[in-house]
């Protein structure tokens, strides 16, 4: 999928301007990113049991020296920082393995064992990281695992460092913020198919890593593609100031719900004078709305949590570390870093609100807003993962919704219908492509992309338009600072040139499905019902969960699947008696497997079959850059 498009002169000049304006002479990040290195992994790959490569240590070997013309120099700098891998000493007693996944795994030593924080995305990479730690620090029993928040790259590898049996027996504590399990699984169920498909674009999962391909994801290189596992928390943190003592190690928590994740927390280690900010303070502007899709995050409370952390821990902290990137040492440096992060989210929030109250729309604010010089020139505030542009639009969306108030935008045509009309008004496809060529030659790639997008949506078989649009996306990628924007542009170009690559990385797993609450499974069924197909159905089902002493009546009527927890006196058409762990099998249509495992179906079994026949699974390969 490598691009053959040469780098345009407009992009070359744009990247030279970046070199001339940003403080590249400041090398503190390189010093901190390499500080405390104890050992590197020997290289090669990490594979799963079937031999599939889940992590390739050599994938980013091309990241060396000065930035090539095809990569924004600021993004190249971030790539160089992120590609450092190995076991690092944060302070004596706290160790991180970085460069084994998009996230960090952290080992915090206790009196006789170790607490592991955020065990990566995949069991295979977590296991390899734990082995590297053990090789150099000696074998230590795992006393606890901490999930700082509810995103899969911070819990998915847990079975690479502990077992379910150790959690069940209490041998190993699993500590997480209140609401963790609900949010960890719900995001991957309700809109999981669409999010995963777009995440393939966001992380460049199908792209080759190269100077004209994927150079990282801003937070780190990319996601590991191994086994996503989950062990439910055994200790939930609910209150700021709450402490837990694990084998002589005191841990003080600060709640931060509704920030970077809906369930998130920071913690402080008095023994080490160390503060963990989870993912709320990174060496990049983060996302208020990720390009893969999610609920819009609240920058106001995000900033408040950082402020509160400074007040609570600033005067007693000598090192700050997090779920991504490298630590910060020294009280003055930590206060500067956290202040910049706080002010970044506060400024974007406050100025977006000021400008929208002046009548500007989200897209207008995104073009006009300017960061103050202190933030503009702070490397930790640069937009490698989130961007000022899409974060401002997210803030506008959070407060004002999708509609900008202009009646012309209230009832627009769908893209294919709009595209056909635009192309006709411009004089046909050939004329539109001619205009796009002119815009491309002038370096106006945004306008070229708009014109060509209309041609492709009017006629997806127009290969001249597809190839020129792919070349246009190449140029936008080559000049952009944001890693996820680059990945989106290059992924779009790849699909325009070839076949739909679908969803290479699936976020759901048997462990995550097993953690679904009964109501979440029923929600997943409701979301999957093909409404028009079910308009004329009138179905009723009783679900008796013998292991939990709970009973639900579900109905399907008017195309709506409803679940109510109650014992209904009126008879249902069918009754299913089962244990809760078997319920996901019905969602997957595996009735025979469920009955073989003990589920009992009484009454009209065809009712259940009729319900399952209305379910329409998501399409993990839906079109993005071309019409359906």
């Amino acid at each position: 999928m490598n691009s053959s498009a040469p780098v345009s002169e407009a992009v070359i000049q744009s990247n030279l301007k970046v070199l001339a304006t940003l403080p590249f002479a400041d090398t503190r990040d390189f010093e901190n990113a390499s500080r405390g290195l104890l050992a590197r992994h020997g290289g090669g790959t990490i594979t799963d049991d079937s031999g599939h490569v889940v992590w390739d240590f050599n994938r980013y070997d091309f990241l060396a020296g000065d930035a090539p013309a095809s990569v924004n120099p600021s993004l190249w700098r971030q790539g160089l920082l992120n590609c450092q891998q190995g076991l690092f000493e944060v302070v004596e007693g706290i160790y991180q393995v970085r460069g084994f996944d998009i996230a960090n795994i952290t080992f915090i030593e206790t009196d006789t064992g170790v607490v592991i924080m955020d065990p990566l995305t995949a069991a295979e990479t977590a296991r390899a990281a734990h082995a590297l730690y053990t090789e150099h620090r000696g074998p230590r029993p795992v006393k606890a695992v901490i999930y700082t928040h509810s995103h899969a790259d911070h819990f998915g590898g847990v079975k690479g460092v502990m077992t379910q049996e150790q959690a069940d027996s209490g041998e190993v504590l699993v500590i997480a913020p209140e609401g963790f399990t609900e949010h960890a699984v719900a995001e991957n169920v309700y809109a999981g198919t669409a999010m995963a498909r777009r995440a393939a674009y966001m992380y460049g999962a199908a792209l080759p890593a190269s100077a004209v391909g994927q150079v990282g994801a801003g937070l780190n290189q990319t996601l590991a593609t191994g086994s996503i596992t989950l062990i439910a928390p055994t200790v939930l943190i609910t209150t700021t100031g709450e402490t837990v003592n694990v084998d002589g190690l005191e841990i003080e928590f600060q709640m931060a719900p509704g920030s970077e994740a809906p369930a998130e927390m920071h913690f402080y280690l008095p023994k080490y004078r160390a503060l963990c900010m989870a993912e709320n303070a990174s060496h990049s502007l983060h996302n208020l709305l990720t390009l893969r899709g999610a609920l819009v995050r609240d920058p106001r409370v995000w900033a408040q949590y950082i402020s509160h952390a400074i007040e609570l821990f600033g005067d007693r902290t000598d090192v700050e570390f997090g779920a991504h990137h490298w630590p910060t040492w020294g009280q003055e440096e930590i206060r500067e870093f956290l202040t910049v992060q706080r002010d970044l989210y506060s400024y974007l929030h406050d100025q977006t609100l000021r400008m929208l109250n002046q009548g500007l729309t989200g897209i207008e604010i995104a073009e006009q807003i300017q960061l103050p010089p202190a933030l503009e020139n702070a490397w930790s505030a640069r937009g490698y993962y989130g961007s000022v542009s899409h974060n401002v639009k997210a803030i506008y969306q959070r407060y004002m919704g999708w509609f900008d108030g202009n009646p012309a935008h209230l009832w627009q045509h769908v893209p294919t219908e709009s595209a056909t009309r635009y192309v006709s008004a411009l004089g046909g496809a050939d004329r539109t492509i001619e205009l796009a060529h002119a815009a491309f030659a002038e370096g106006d790639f945004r306008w070229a992309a708009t014109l060509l997008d209309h041609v492709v949506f009017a006629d997806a078989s127009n290969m001249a338009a597809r190839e020129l649009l792919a070349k246009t996306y190449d140029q936008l990628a080559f000049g952009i600072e944001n890693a996820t924007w680059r990945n989106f542009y290059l992924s779009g170009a790849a699909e325009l040139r070839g076949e739909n690559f679908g969803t290479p990385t699936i976020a759901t797993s048997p462990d995550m499905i097993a953690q679904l609450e009964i109501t979440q499974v029923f929600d997943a069924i409701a979301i999957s019902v093909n409404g028009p197909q079910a308009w004329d159905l009138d179905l009723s089902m009783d679900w008796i969960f013998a292991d939990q002493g709970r009973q639900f009546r579900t109905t399907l009527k008017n195309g709506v699947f409803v679940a109510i927890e109650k014992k209904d006196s009126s008879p249902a058409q069918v009754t299913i008696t089962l244990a809760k762990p078997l319920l996901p099998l019905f969602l997957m249509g595996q009735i025979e497997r469920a009955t073989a495992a003990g589920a009992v179906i009484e009454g009209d079994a065809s009712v259940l079959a009729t319900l399952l026949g209305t379910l329409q699974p998501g399409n993990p390969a839906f079109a993005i850059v071309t019409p359906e």
Side-chain angles (χ1 to χ4, degrees), residues 257-259 288-289 295-302 349 352-353 356 390-402:
S259 52
L288 299 179
L289 177 57
L295 298 178
V296 179
R297 299 158 185 172
D298 188 343
R300 184 180 65 87
V301 301
W302 192 329
H349 174 271
T352 299
L353 269 292
L356 74 81
H390 74 250
N391 278 345
V392 161
K393 294 168 189 170
I395 297 168
Y396 185 93
Q397 176 182 321
R398 181 178 178 86
Y399 284 94
M400 305 300 291
W402 64 268

Side-chain angles (χ1 to χ4, degrees), residues 239-242 252-257 266 268 275 277 300-317 335 338-339 342 346:
T239 308
T240 293
E242 188 173 346
E252 180 181 345
F253 294 94
Q254 179 199 357
M255 301 302 294
H266 310 151
Y268 177 74
L275 171 63
M277 289 296 294
R300 184 180 65 87
V301 301
W302 192 329
Q304 288 174 350
Y305 291 135
I306 298 175
S307 255
H308 196 197
I310 295 171
E311 294 170 11
L312 285 173
F313 310 117
D315 292 340
R316 47 192 177 120
T317 297
R335 188 173 292 272
L338 293 180
T339 298
R342 177 200 64 194
S346 288

Side-chain angles (χ1 to χ4, degrees), residues 262-562:
E264 189 147 355
M265 63 186 182
H266 310 151
F267 63 85
Y268 177 74
L269 304 167
K271 176 179 179 179
Y272 297 113
R273 294 179 60 85
L275 171 63
C276 172
M277 289 296 294
E279 201 165 323
N280 282 330
S282 303
H283 290 275
S284 169
L285 170 61
H286 213 292
N287 286 301
L288 299 179
L289 177 57
T290 74
L291 299 184
R292 64 178 168 83
L295 298 178
V296 179
R297 299 158 185 172
D298 188 343
R300 184 180 65 87
V301 301
W302 192 329
Q304 288 174 350
Y305 291 135
I306 298 175
S307 255
H308 196 197
I310 295 171
E311 294 170 11
L312 285 173
F313 310 117
D315 292 340
R316 47 192 177 120
T317 297
D318 294 330
V319 64
E320 180 277 335
F321 64 96
H324 296 275
H325 299 140
W326 50 93
T328 302
W329 289 268
Q331 285 193 16
E332 183 178 340
E333 290 80 1
I334 293 167
R335 188 173 292 272
E336 175 192 5
F337 169 60
L338 293 180
T339 298
V340 164
Q341 289 280 292
R342 177 200 64 194
D343 291 352
L344 177 61
Y345 297 109
S346 288
Y347 189 89
L348 292 178
H349 174 271
D350 297 347
Q351 295 307 304
T352 299
L353 269 292
R354 177 184 66 84
M355 296 168 81
L356 74 81
N357 281 318
Q358 295 294 320
L360 276 69
T361 64
I363 193 170
E364 291 169 334
I365 299 169
E367 292 297 307
Q368 293 188 29
I369 195 168
Q370 289 184 303
L371 294 179
L375 299 181
E376 183 72 21
N377 292 314
W379 287 115
S380 66
R382 301 299 302 178
Y384 303 116
Y385 191 53
S387 75
V388 169
S389 178
H390 74 250
N391 278 345
V392 161
K393 294 168 189 170
I395 297 168
Y396 185 93
Q397 176 182 321
R398 181 178 178 86
Y399 284 94
M400 305 300 291
W402 64 268
F403 180 46
D404 64 4
N406 184 335
H409 302 153
L410 190 57
W411 189 24
Q412 294 175 286
H413 285 295
V414 297
T416 51
E417 293 296 325
S418 179
T420 301
R421 288 161 172 79
Y422 272 110
V423 170
S424 176
L426 288 165
D430 290 344
R431 174 57 179 160
T432 306
I433 294 172
E434 182 183 340
L435 293 169
H437 271 292
F440 188 101
E442 294 169 2
D444 191 353
F445 304 117
R446 294 164 72 183
W447 178 234
T450 299
L451 291 169
L452 293 164
D453 181 62
H454 285 315
V455 179
V456 170
F457 269 77
D459 178 10
S461 67
N462 190 316
M463 299 310 295
R466 289 174 70 120
E467 180 54 31
L468 184 55
L469 181 54
K471 290 179 179 179
T472 302
Y473 285 158
D474 289 339
Q475 301 309 314
L476 287 165
F478 295 160
I480 206 71
E481 181 181 43
N482 184 278
T484 60
W485 284 36
R486 179 185 175 95
N487 292 337
F488 252 85
Y489 285 132
L490 292 177
S491 294
E495 291 203 347
L496 285 166
R497 290 187 171 111
E499 295 183 0
N500 183 307
F501 56 67
T503 303
T505 304
I506 304 298
T508 55
S509 68
D511 278 354
M512 295 183 70
I513 292 173
Q515 292 297 331
L516 290 170
E517 294 293 331
I518 294 171
T519 53
Q520 289 177 317
V521 177
F522 287 145
D523 283 347
I525 291 173
I527 291 165
S528 300
V529 169
N530 184 322
Q533 183 182 327
W535 283 348
D536 298 326
L537 296 177
D538 189 353
L539 309 179
S540 63
M541 290 149 278
D542 278 341
W543 302 78
I544 300 172
F545 296 93
D547 59 331
Q548 297 198 353
R550 301 174 71 183
Q551 181 169 333
F552 288 77
R553 168 66 60 88
T554 67
T555 58
L556 178 61
K557 188 174 183 178
N558 299 323
V560 178
F561 181 82
V562 175

Side-chain angles (χ1 to χ4, degrees), residues 26-37:
D26 180 357
T27 60
R28 287 180 296 172
D29 284 340
F30 286 94
E31 295 162 8
N32 286 340
S34 60
R35 178 171 170 173
L37 177 64

